[in-house]
Amino acid sequence: MSRKIVVISAGLRQPSSTRLLADRLAEAVRRQLEALGAEVDLEVIEVRDHGHDLVNNLIVGYPSEPLEEVLDRVGRADGLIAVTPTFSASYNGLFKMFVDVLDDTALIDKPVLIAATGGTGRHSLVLEHELRPLFSYLHAVVMPTGVYAAPEDWGSGAESESPLATRIHRAAAELAREVDRRESPLPPDPFDSPDSFEQLLA
């Protein structure tokens, strides 16, 4: 079964630690899903590439065609990885603009892995104080493990054994399991069809 995973990366520079973390999370999720027997369609959305369209959307009230296509891909994803840099102990404005223009129902019951980068480990609570409440408000299913990366997390010890690598592996496993367990859609409700309802009464 094919699974669509969309990664939202709200870094402002290229290259950025935000994109680096996004790529590591995406690859970890890919490996976990493939181990479960799924084919993985992975897409990374660099929010900075749509900055002007996001501003115009907020001003005029509707998205451009390219932005609308991006938002639609988010809505159709089986799982979402959302990564933002930390600004003033919160997600950055670019990230918030992207979330603000999503359809109100786009993330309902969607598995989401939250992650953030920052200049100091003291900002790691951005995951629990800002990102988790935001996605919970949008009725997403937020994975228990969030991943925060400060400068000291990069290159600390053997990469495969570092605390950051451990958090990435655990969070990726949670998202993969949550996406994989949804492989069987709910059967149609017979009461949705008048004909089916009559057949049940026959």
Side-chain angles (χ1 to χ4, degrees):
M1 179 175 290
S2 178
R3 294 301 190 184
K4 175 72 172 180
I5 302 297
V6 170
V7 185
I8 299 173
S9 175
L12 298 180
R13 300 174 182 82
Q14 289 184 328
S16 72
S17 59
T18 300
R19 178 58 190 268
L20 178 59
L21 180 58
D23 287 343
R24 289 187 62 180
L25 287 165
E27 185 56 34
V29 171
R30 182 204 294 275
R31 290 195 302 267
Q32 293 281 350
L33 279 170
E34 288 177 345
L36 293 170
E39 296 180 6
V40 183
D41 178 9
L42 190 65
E43 178 181 2
V44 180
I45 296 171
E46 281 279 7
V47 182
R48 69 190 299 276
D49 295 339
H50 306 281
H52 292 294
D53 284 342
L54 288 169
V55 172
N56 290 337
N57 187 353
L58 291 174
I59 292 173
V60 303
Y62 57 87
S64 64
E65 185 173 330
L67 180 59
E68 186 173 23
E69 292 176 358
V70 168
L71 299 176
D72 183 60
R73 291 198 291 273
V74 171
R76 289 186 285 107
D78 295 299
L80 190 68
I81 301 171
V83 192
T84 178
T86 305
F87 281 23
S88 301
S90 185
Y91 35 74
N92 71 358
L94 195 61
F95 182 87
K96 185 59 164 60
M97 277 199 298
F98 189 86
V99 173
D100 282 347
V101 302
L102 286 171
D103 185 271
D104 289 343
T105 63
L107 300 184
I108 292 177
D109 200 39
K110 192 180 300 296
V112 176
L113 191 167
I114 55 173
T117 58
T120 171
R122 291 183 296 122
H123 290 313
S124 62
L125 286 177
V126 66
L127 296 171
E128 304 305 324
H129 289 179
E130 300 292 338
L131 284 170
R132 192 175 298 278
L134 173 65
F135 285 101
S136 295
Y137 173 79
L138 295 170
H139 303 290
V141 179
V142 187
M143 297 305 98
T145 301
V147 180
Y148 181 85
E152 58 268 24
D153 289 312
W154 303 106
S156 56
E159 183 174 327
S160 62
E161 300 175 359
S162 70
L164 176 59
T166 300
R167 294 196 299 273
I168 288 173
H169 177 79
R170 184 167 61 244
E174 291 171 356
L175 182 65
R177 287 195 299 267
E178 184 65 25
V179 169
D180 181 68
R181 77 176 186 84
R182 296 162 180 250
E183 62 184 5
S184 299
L186 293 174
D189 186 343
F191 294 100
D192 285 343
S193 169
D195 292 337
S196 298
F197 181 68
E198 291 174 2
Q199 291 172 7
L200 287 174
L201 296 178

